[in-house]
Amino acid sequence: MTPTVTPRCAGSLTMDASVLVEGRSGTTEAPSIVYLIEGEETLLVDTSFGDPGLMADRHPGYECHRTAGQELDAVLADEGYDPADVDGVVLSHLDWDHCYNLDTFGADTDVYVQRRELEYAIAPYPMHAERYEAKSLGREPPWLTVDLTPIEGETELCAGVTAVPTPGHTVGHQSVVVEADAGTTVVAVDAVPTFDNVTDDPSAPIRRGLAMDEFAWRESALDVLDRADRLLPGHEWGILDAEPAGL
């Protein structure tokens, strides 16, 4: 079975525009995207943020919004799936806005994360503790509420679907490469968060987004662009059948 990828909107976040594209001023409303991969297995990349009220308390610099039908179980139902039908969840990284709602799934659903990301998220430097909702803040991170399956390096998840390390945005960020007859789709997530990170200037083909390691981010972004016939960024309205609410 040739795998397909469908990006879906699971809410939105209003944030400082420079988080997505360095040097941008003002605020922007960005989508929170999950990606359904249908192939030999049914996989979901990322699970979005938590209850918007809780997020307002924990992350006041980000206004989270979710309308009816954007809840994770509703998104899956709209695609014809129950949570129990999902064989595996791939967490691109453990920033709080990508890894809530894991209790939607049962024990039979594998949850994949790069081992390097997990090891760092357990005890990050203080400057990154908020991003991971680290235990040092007196919180229980949402990704510690389930059994995780750590993977190391490039890992084939099923035929035609491979998790690929793309560090930089976080130390253990990963993207997902999906091979099909029509070409290669790369679920880049925050390795390339928007199309505005990509330029037409061959001497400077990318504009950086938020990165723990600027050099690694650049190398990962260039790798993603080299692989992709179809690029699916992490916070890009242009890949969705949805529009910003203008909040």
Side-chain angles (χ1 to χ4, degrees), residues 150-185:
I151 57 178
E152 298 188 53
E154 291 202 16
T155 302
E156 186 178 62
L157 302 175
C158 65
V161 182
T162 304
V164 176
T166 48
H169 178 72
T170 62
V171 298
H173 188 283
Q174 64 182 343
S175 302
V176 180
V177 176
V178 180
E179 303 285 357
D181 294 340
T184 300
T185 296

Side-chain angles (χ1 to χ4, degrees), residues 124-150:
Y125 284 124
M127 69 184 73
H128 300 141
E130 285 282 353
R131 292 177 62 171
Y132 288 126
E133 298 202 347
K135 296 187 75 173
S136 61
L137 301 175
R139 300 175 184 171
E140 183 179 45
W143 40 269
L144 272 185
T145 63
V146 298
D147 289 331
L148 300 174
T149 301

